[in-house]
Amino acid sequence: VLFNNLEFLKTESAIKGGRPVPGALVYSFAEGLLIQSTMQGTGLAFLGCQLDVKGPTFVGDTIHVEFEIADIRQTSKGNRAIVYTRNEVRNQRGETVLIYDPKRMMKGRE
């Protein structure tokens, strides 16, 4: 009911400020933003991540992702690497709403 019952949100929910968006959906949108701009054609495998929701995201919010490479480890094949990043999702007010640290296998130089 939290995400689809507007009457519940108005009368019973402890969350105020708008209609909330599930953290998993925010993560999915963040991944979509990153993949099309940074990993298209180089990403080979998603190997997992830790995810921490830091604050609410509401319908109508605008999000962007800031990321930094934390570590790169070349694989034994030589033309691949395991890449660790730290990704922060921020809303239009600059508030961090989600942090996650994916581990990916990426294509390297031949």
Side-chain angles (χ1 to χ4, degrees):
V1 295
L2 180 60
F3 301 113
N4 58 16
N5 185 326
L6 297 177
E7 191 58 36
F8 173 82
L9 285 172
K10 288 179 195 173
T11 60
E12 297 181 49
S13 175
I15 297 175
K16 304 300 177 200
R19 189 171 178 183
V21 176
L25 184 58
V26 176
Y27 162 77
S28 296
F29 275 110
E31 281 291 278
L33 292 169
L34 284 176
I35 287 171
Q36 71 179 352
S37 63
T38 63
M39 293 178 281
Q40 195 91 26
T42 60
L44 297 174
F46 176 80
L47 303 173
C49 76
Q50 295 290 323
L51 186 137
D52 188 13
V53 177
K54 294 297 196 180
T57 303
F58 297 101
V59 170
D61 280 358
T62 300
I63 61 167
H64 72 276
V65 186
E66 297 177 11
F67 78 98
E68 68 178 284
I69 296 172
D71 193 21
I72 301 175
R73 297 183 186 164
Q74 190 170 357
T75 66
S76 60
K77 292 199 180 232
N79 64 345
R80 299 174 183 180
I82 305 300
V83 179
Y84 299 82
T85 61
R86 182 176 192 278
N87 303 355
E88 284 194 31
V89 181
R90 296 178 189 249
N91 64 18
Q92 69 275 13
R93 292 178 297 283
E95 301 163 337
T96 300
V97 295
L98 190 108
I99 295 175
Y100 66 103
D101 58 349
K103 174 182 171 183
R104 307 176 198 276
M105 182 180 293
M106 306 286 289
K107 180 178 169 184
R109 294 187 181 108
E110 297 292 326

